Structure formats: structure tokens, C-alpha cells
């Protein structure tokens, strides 16, 4: 189950923990959309209830990543909490060199890729191959697509996405 979170909303984390307790087999992805101040990411991760932290597939974009050094700082912050990190916005906006460095330096566990924003299938295939070489999973998701766009993303995810992750 994927949830959207805002900043340092401890009440929201508590509600997700209640869901984790109620549904023991459920796994969670929390997307903060870059809303946590970078200097507070480690604090928010440490504040997560254990039952939630144990069931997290990943935390997506906890803060804005505006370059390689910001990605390095974020990885260090997330590493202290033992929670997998997914990056979305820097994949879309970062361009080749930032993305190459994120992969080479293992700065993310998961790349969240929007095929319609990323481009042609051959570029997605090259990204999947590069991510695979570095042990980084690739999750494909949509922008604000129509039904046709969502169907296309589902097909691309079936072909190129990491099989042990849910897409969409």
C-alpha cells in the first residue's frame, strides 16, 4: 500500500502503524514528496514506530534532492534508520550525470520512474540495465495519465520493472 505523507506528520505515521498492526502481511511505501526539511529526515525516520519501519518497502523522496551532494547527505540520513530509500524527482529532473552518480554510489535502493516523462522505451531499457548492474530496483508509475496512459505504464512495468515490487 502506498501512502502520501506530509513533512513531520507524526499523527499520520501513527495511523500507518495502526494499519501495519491490523494487517500483518501488508507492506507499505510512504511518499513524502520532498516535504521533510533535509536536516530533519533522520529524525523523522527514527521516530517511525517499529511496526511500520519493519514493514516499509521504502520511503520515497523524503526531501528535495537538488544535486549529488544532497543525494549523498540524504543517503547518510536514511542509512541511520535502516529504511530503504526510493528517489523519484531526481530521476525525472536530474539528467544523466546525476542519475549515473546516484546509481554508481548506491544512493538509492529504488528508482521510481515515470515512463511518459522519461521518454522512449530504449532509454528505459538502458536505465533498467544500469540500475540492475548496481542492485537498484526500478518501479514504474504514472503521471496524471488517462486510462490509455495507465495501461501503457502497466505494460512497460511488466516488461521492465523490478518483479519484486508493485508498480503503478
Amino acid at each position: 500500500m502506498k501512502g502520501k505523507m506530509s513533512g513531520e506528520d507524526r499523527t499520520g505515521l501513527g495511523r500507518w502503524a495502526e494499519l501495519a498492526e491490523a494487517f500483518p502481511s501488508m507492506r507499505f511505501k510512504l511518499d513524502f514528496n520532498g516535504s521533510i526539511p533535509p536536516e530533519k529526515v533522520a529524525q523523522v525516520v527514527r521516530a517511525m514506530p517499529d511496526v511500520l519501519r519493519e514493514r516499509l518497502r521504502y520511503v520515497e523522496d523524503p526531501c528535495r534532492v537538488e544535486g549529488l551532494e544532497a543525494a549523498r547527505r540524504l543517503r547518510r540520513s536514511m542509512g541511520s534508520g535502516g529504511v530503504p530509500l526510493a528517489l523519484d524527482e531526481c530521476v525525472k529532473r536530474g539528467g544523466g550525470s546525476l542519475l549515473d552518480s546516484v546509481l554508481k554510489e548506491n544512493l538509492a535502493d529504488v528508482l521510481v520512474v515515470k515512463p511518459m516523462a522519461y521518454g522512449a522505451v530504449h532509454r528505459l531499457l538502458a536505465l533498467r540495465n544500469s540500475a540492475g548492474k548496481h542492485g537498484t530496483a526500478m518501479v514504474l508509475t504514472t503521471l496524471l495519465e488517462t486510462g490509455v496512459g495507465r495501461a501503457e505504464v502497466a505494460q512497460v512495468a511488466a516488461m521492465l520493472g523490478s518483479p519484486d515490487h508493485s508498480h503503478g
Side-chain angles (χ1 to χ4, degrees):
M1 174 177 279
K2 181 174 181 174
K4 297 283 189 171
M5 293 289 301
S6 176
E8 302 167 67
D9 179 10
R10 300 282 161 61
T11 303
L13 289 175
R15 289 188 180 128
W16 284 104
E18 288 173 12
L19 276 173
E21 288 176 2
F23 300 96
S25 64
M26 191 175 284
R27 299 295 177 259
F28 301 90
K29 302 182 278 187
L30 296 180
D31 184 353
F32 286 87
N33 287 325
S35 63
I36 302 173
E39 66 277 4
K40 295 198 176 197
V41 169
Q43 178 183 350
V44 171
V45 169
R46 282 192 305 270
M48 287 181 182
D50 289 341
V51 68
L52 178 59
R53 188 179 308 119
E54 292 164 4
R55 304 256 181 79
L56 279 176
R57 294 289 288 158
Y58 54 78
V59 168
E60 183 177 335
D61 282 345
C63 66
R64 296 183 70 73
V65 175
E66 298 293 339
L68 183 56
E69 193 52 44
R72 289 174 178 147
R73 282 191 304 273
L74 174 58
R75 183 56 153 183
R76 285 191 298 270
S77 294
M78 292 296 294
S80 66
V83 173
L85 172 63
L87 294 178
D88 177 355
E89 291 302 316
C90 83
V91 173
K92 187 168 64 176
R93 293 179 308 166
S97 64
L98 176 59
L99 186 53
D100 289 344
S101 295
V102 164
L103 290 171
K104 286 176 187 169
E105 295 184 32
N106 192 29
L107 299 178
D109 300 293
V110 177
L111 297 179
V112 178
V113 178
K114 295 173 172 71
M116 301 308 185
Y118 199 79
V121 173
H122 72 277
R123 291 182 63 212
L124 291 168
L125 181 58
L127 176 58
R128 184 196 65 178
N129 292 340
S130 182
K133 286 178 190 171
H134 297 285
T136 305
M138 193 165 94
V139 170
L140 291 107
T141 188
T142 61
L143 291 164
L144 298 173
E145 319 311 338
T146 65
V148 172
R150 288 190 301 272
E152 289 298 316
V153 170
Q155 287 183 0
V156 172
M159 292 185 299
L160 301 178
S162 298
D164 58 339
H165 284 272
S166 59
H167 302 270

